[in-house]
Amino acid sequence: MSKFALGQAVTRVEDLTLVRGAGRYADDVRLAGELHAYVLRSPHAHAVIGGVDATAAREAPGVAAVLTGADVQADGLGDIPCLIPVRNADRTPRGETPRPILAIGRVRHVGEPVALVVADSLAHAKDAAELIGVDYESMPAVADAYAATLAGALQVWPAIRDNVCFDIVMGDTGAAERAFARAARVIKLAIRNNRVVANPLEPRAALADYDAAADRSTLYTPTQGPHMILGQLVDPILKLDRKRLRVVSGNVGGAFGMKIFLHPEQALAVWASRRLKRPVRWTAERSEGFLSDAQGRDNYSIAELALDADARFLALRVTTYANMGAYLSNFGPFIPQLAFHVLSSVYRIPAISLNIKGVVTNTVPVDAYRGAGRPEGIYLVERLVDFAARELGIGPDELRRRNFIEAFPYATACEAEYDSGDFPGAMRLAMERADWADFAARREAAKARGRLRGLGLAMYIERCGGGNGDTITVRIDGGGKVTLISGMQDNGQGHGTTFRQLLSDRLGIDAEAIEVVQGDTDIVPSGLTGGSRFLAIGGVAAMAAADEAVDKGKDAAAGLLEAASADVEYRDGRYWIAGTDRGVSLFDVAQQANGLEATHTRAPEQYTFPNGCHIAEVEIDAETGETVIARYTIVDDFGRTVNPLLAQGQIHGGTVQGVGQALLEHGIYDPESAQLLTGSFMDYAIPRADDLPSFDCTFHNVPCTGNPLGVKGAGEAGAVGAPAAVINAVVDALQPRTGLRHIDMPATREKVWRALQAR
């Protein structure tokens, strides 16, 4: 890197280190005297624990400790908290689901931690775990959210009636009812949003160290913000003073939302390390990840769309059964609420009402997964709009065109105010690039080859840039170095590259002079990566901190230049006497001033709304049901693209995950035993390179008015737009032959084949 302006396609500076294997992930940290932890997990989805006999395990070779729920109680440890308070529609509080770090008295999902074995090797820990006797009394279980609410269903928590832990209404129900009463046509569709497993390249891990002299622990763990983990560990669970714990995240090999949240194993590692006064390491095996990582999606929704005689939208009414799993995860109840704010999508819908029923089941807890509620909301709307177009005999593009929002700012019926955009323009550009007009000829050519071809369009919009503020510190020293310190945590997005690009542009200095520091609660301020908020919050804070640091140097620069401070200006890495060629470098001024430093906190002022259009074109083998994506076109409005190369990488990654959910991925639980049937890559399919075409990506940016950078966010966009585009294309391919009106995700080869046989 050298000097870079905003908008340049700069390759990631992080990659050279990572591709050489020189990164520092949690499992790369090695400490003297390490012990290895293994978690004994419940094989039952629901069972009463009569007792745990660890006598033989504690005497096994190499074992340092075996910890159970009884030890958790004896040490007075707290539960993993749900951080989201919810008031039901009747103003009562949501149900409580106390989640101990080791099971106490009962287990409620397969994979729930029951005991922790710590030994001198992982092999010894595993061997000892087999000697633990657990007296399980197996109980009936329930896995499906809708089924869990029906009469006679098993009660997962005795105090949570009908398994509905919260029941809320968002929007204006009265206005929606009045609109439905005068509608010329009502379109209704039941939609399932399938459960997915995050499966990042790097599994979860925890390595805890303990300094007995200082009575202080250090936890090395991959996170999306180490302060988020620290706060939960010290206060609710371990009951420690915050000064007694340091959390460090090095390189993070993917997260997708799942590594925001506290999981039991992080607390177990710190607790065991403090007890044994030794480092304790735990790293998840892939099979453990399937059974214990917070999972995503899993909604069942009944949606109704009211239209007038001209096919203008009047109202949208939705009831969603959101599967929360056995316990309310950190943000669990918040995720289905995020769907509400995008239910207007890019359309004028005067009245919207959403009833969310949060349902507990005997499954792994559910929380945010890339997009966090917005993919669920957009998938529902875009499937419903496509379904309505087919029912009404109107082209899917024409129905959208009739209902687009075209004037801004626009206040939706779901508590969002869009500041900018060009939705018709994005669709028009996408259709042109996808060669929409000539699709009929391609369909006929495919038919001649015995294949079914379909074209699917989906618009999308997100609400991003929310949450708490983020703090950035910029330090400039006299030795030619700028250090940026951020509480946000890179987990594959390229934060280091983007921060360097921002400061290089703002300060007019070589990017090589800039160092980015993240991931250590002893050094970095509070912050969190998630919700496509990095640039709109952290990027703006970085620019403001850089500006403040420069301003602090003006007096020192004036002294060196023998000028008045009011006559000093800054550009291109130097302070200048205005109107002259006399200047002095930033670093010389920093040396004179004994360093320049500024800290800026950027609190969200308003949300951002990235949006765009996805068009998928598929071919289906009528004999086997195999679906191939033949073409894929994406047009995004990100407000401004600071680095188009990194933005396209985020688009590609998100789109692949959206395609994976649409065609391949599904966390399936047995409806009676609640056993996870897709607990490995033998049964759970993720997309591979040959499942995808090259993407045609382009930008149709309209700057955001809510932040100085004009950015809207990019990281989740692909996962929001892709599922509906792909399923719309699959339905379009199947409908002429089968009359099919809807197919739920994932549209696997078997499911498509069965649809073809049922024609």
Side-chain angles (χ1 to χ4, degrees):
M1 298 182 81
S2 186
K3 290 183 181 178
F4 288 103
L6 302 188
Q8 284 185 260
V10 179
T11 56
R12 290 176 18 130
V13 299
E14 300 92 335
D15 288 347
L16 187 59
T17 298
L18 298 179
V19 299
R20 288 177 170 175
R24 188 171 171 83
Y25 296 90
D27 211 48
D28 292 320
V29 180
R30 298 290 159 180
L31 302 176
E34 286 181 13
L35 296 169
H36 296 264
Y38 178 75
V39 177
L40 179 68
R41 301 183 183 278
S42 170
H44 300 278
H46 194 196
V48 174
I49 298 177
V52 179
D53 183 358
T55 304
R58 290 188 173 108
E59 296 173 354
V63 171
V66 179
L67 302 174
T68 68
D71 298 301
V72 170
Q73 290 179 305
D75 283 9
L77 302 186
D79 298 325
I80 295 177
C82 173
L83 303 175
I84 305 299
V86 176
R87 287 277 172 185
N88 294 313
D90 63 3
R91 306 310 300 160
T92 58
R94 62 160 172 77
E96 294 290 343
T97 61
R99 186 185 184 187
I101 59 175
L102 289 174
I104 298 173
R106 187 180 293 253
V107 290
R108 288 184 169 83
H109 71 85
V110 174
E112 183 168 353
V114 174
L116 183 76
V117 182
V118 184
D120 58 3
S121 71
L122 183 58
H124 277 152
K126 287 183 175 182
D127 288 345
E130 293 185 4
L131 301 176
I132 298 174
V134 185
D135 179 14
Y136 291 110
E137 180 187 345
S138 184
M139 305 283 287
V142 63
D144 180 79
Y146 181 69
T149 66
L150 301 178
L154 161 90
Q155 296 300 287
V156 178
W157 290 89
I160 298 179
R161 184 179 176 184
D162 298 326
N163 292 315
V164 177
C165 56
F166 60 91
D167 189 342
I168 61 176
V169 175
M170 305 178 76
D172 190 333
T173 302
E177 295 299 329
R178 291 189 293 273
F180 272 90
R182 69 175 187 272
R185 188 73 184 270
V186 173
I187 304 296
K188 184 175 181 179
L189 182 63
I191 297 174
R192 285 194 179 273
N193 203 293
N194 47 314
R195 182 180 287 232
V196 292
V197 182
N199 279 317
L201 191 62
E202 179 200 23
R204 289 191 296 114
L207 171 61
D209 195 13
Y210 179 63
D211 181 346
D215 185 27
R216 191 165 192 256
S217 296
T218 299
L219 173 65
Y220 301 90
T221 188
T223 75
Q224 291 176 237
H227 280 283
M228 175 78 179
I229 302 301
L230 183 146
Q232 293 182 74
L233 284 173
V234 295
D235 296 328
I237 299 176
L238 299 174
K239 316 296 186 184
L240 296 175
D241 185 281
R242 294 180 72 92
K243 296 178 182 178
R244 300 293 179 223
L245 179 64
R246 171 191 179 203
V247 178
V248 178
S249 288
N251 295 120
V252 179
F256 313 128
M258 182 269 290
K259 288 177 183 170
I260 291 176
F261 315 116
L262 182 69
H263 290 76
E265 297 82 3
Q266 291 155 312
L268 289 171
V270 177
W271 176 44
S273 174
R274 293 182 69 85
R275 267 178 152 248
L276 297 168
K277 297 179 172 52
R278 294 269 300 277
V280 173
R281 174 186 298 281
W282 173 83
T283 301
E285 297 178 355
R286 188 62 65 180
S287 59
E288 286 186 284
F290 274 98
L291 295 176
S292 61
D293 294 351
Q295 297 179 354
R297 317 292 194 231
D298 203 352
N299 292 343
Y300 173 70
S301 298
I302 301 165
E304 297 172 281
L305 181 65
L307 304 96
D308 69 13
D310 295 320
R312 261 64 178 202
F313 302 156
L314 298 176
L316 175 65
R317 184 168 58 196
V318 180
T319 299
T320 291
Y321 296 81
N323 199 333
M324 294 286 97
Y327 300 96
L328 293 178
S329 181
N330 284 174
F331 293 173
F334 186 50
I335 306 310
Q337 297 180 55
L338 289 174
F340 172 69
H341 303 291
V342 298
L343 283 184
S344 194
S345 188
V346 295
Y347 312 114
R348 299 183 306 275
I349 308 179
I352 296 175
S353 175
L354 171 63
N355 175 209
I356 304 171
K357 300 179 188 296
V359 184
V360 287
T361 63
N362 295 112
T363 62
V364 174
V366 174
D367 213 310
Y369 174 72
R370 198 169 192 167
R374 282 92 79 192
E376 295 93 313
I378 291 299
Y379 176 71
L380 181 146
V381 174
E382 291 300 311
R383 270 302 297 135
L384 185 59
V385 170
D386 233 61
F387 184 84
R390 199 171 296 280
E391 293 291 292
L392 297 171
I394 299 173
D397 56 323
E398 174 57 24
L399 183 58
R400 289 173 168 87
R401 200 173 287 113
R402 291 187 193 184
N403 289 282
F404 276 140
I405 297 164
E406 298 190 53
F408 298 91
Y410 181 85
T412 73
C414 45
E415 301 174 11
E417 182 167 304
Y418 302 164
D419 65 292
S420 63
D422 178 13
F423 308 145
M427 187 178 78
R428 183 169 55 250
L429 179 58
M431 292 173 68
E432 290 171 0
R433 297 182 72 90
D435 198 10
W436 182 281
D438 291 333
F439 171 70
R442 297 195 296 279
R443 171 174 266 174
E444 287 302 311
K447 185 177 180 181
R449 292 183 277 108
R451 300 179 72 85
L452 311 176
R453 200 162 179 115
L455 190 61
L457 181 151
M459 302 297 296
Y460 82 88
I461 197 164
E462 281 196 87
R463 190 180 79 156
C464 302
N468 296 323
D470 284 289
T471 300
I472 301 291
T473 295
V474 172
R475 293 175 182 161
I476 306 167
D477 67 33
K481 179 181 174 183
V482 174
T483 303
L484 182 150
I485 303 170
S486 168
M488 294 179 138
Q489 180 64 42
D490 177 35
N491 46 92
Q493 299 91 341
H495 287 184
T497 300
T498 308
F499 272 138
R500 286 177 174 90
Q501 192 169 357
L502 284 170
L503 291 195
S504 177
D505 178 88
R506 200 70 170 182
L507 298 175
I509 62 174
D510 287 345
E512 288 88 346
I514 302 166
E515 178 185 4
V516 176
V517 176
Q518 302 178 85
D520 185 337
T521 56
D522 274 5
I523 300 172
V524 306
S526 180
L528 184 69
T529 295
S532 297
R533 63 197 297 277
F534 165 61
L535 277 173
I537 308 300
V540 171
M543 291 200 314
D547 289 346
E548 290 172 22
V550 166
D551 285 343
K552 288 181 178 180
K554 283 190 174 179
D555 286 342
L560 289 171
L561 293 168
E562 299 179 342
S565 295
D567 293 332
V568 173
E569 61 182 27
Y570 181 86
R571 67 179 187 277
D572 298 328
R574 296 177 69 82
Y575 293 88
W576 304 87
I577 299 176
T580 76
D581 59 358
R582 290 184 58 208
V584 61
S585 80
L586 170 65
F587 297 113
D588 286 343
V589 171
Q591 186 174 39
Q592 176 70 18
N594 294 316
L596 302 172
E597 179 176 328
T599 297
H600 185 86
T601 298
R602 168 74 177 184
E605 296 179 358
Q606 66 185 65
Y607 291 102
T608 67
F609 295 93
N611 62 85
C613 180
H614 284 229
I615 297 178
E617 190 165 331
V618 304
E619 274 198 0
I620 296 174
D621 186 323
E623 299 299 321
T624 67
E626 179 188 25
T627 300
V628 174
I629 300 178
R631 300 175 65 165
Y632 203 102
T633 305
I634 307 166
V635 172
D636 289 303
D637 172 5
F638 294 149
R640 182 183 190 183
T641 46
V642 169
N643 187 325
L645 187 63
L646 267 63
Q648 289 208 358
Q650 291 296 301
I651 297 164
H652 291 178
T655 301
V656 170
Q657 286 180 283
V659 170
Q661 184 181 7
L663 296 179
L664 298 167
E665 300 186 44
H666 195 183
I668 303 173
Y669 287 85
D670 182 274
E672 295 183 0
S673 68
Q675 290 282 337
L676 181 63
L677 302 179
T678 53
S680 76
F681 288 134
M682 293 292 289
D683 304 296
Y684 186 97
I686 60 173
R688 300 170 182 250
D690 60 358
D691 291 315
L692 301 149
S694 293
F695 298 124
D696 177 0
C697 300
T698 194
F699 302 111
H700 185 67
N701 289 333
V702 180
C704 174
T705 63
N707 62 77
L709 273 172
V711 295
K712 295 180 178 179
E716 298 163 313
V720 180
V726 173
I727 294 299
N728 288 345
V730 169
V731 172
D732 187 57
L734 292 174
Q735 199 276 335
R737 178 176 291 205
T738 66
L740 182 83
R741 300 162 68 212
H742 176 66
I743 191 169
D744 276 321
M745 297 189 292
T748 61
R749 185 180 302 192
E750 179 191 5
K751 192 183 291 185
V752 171
W753 180 84
R754 291 188 182 279
L756 286 163
Q757 305 316 301
R759 67 183 185 274

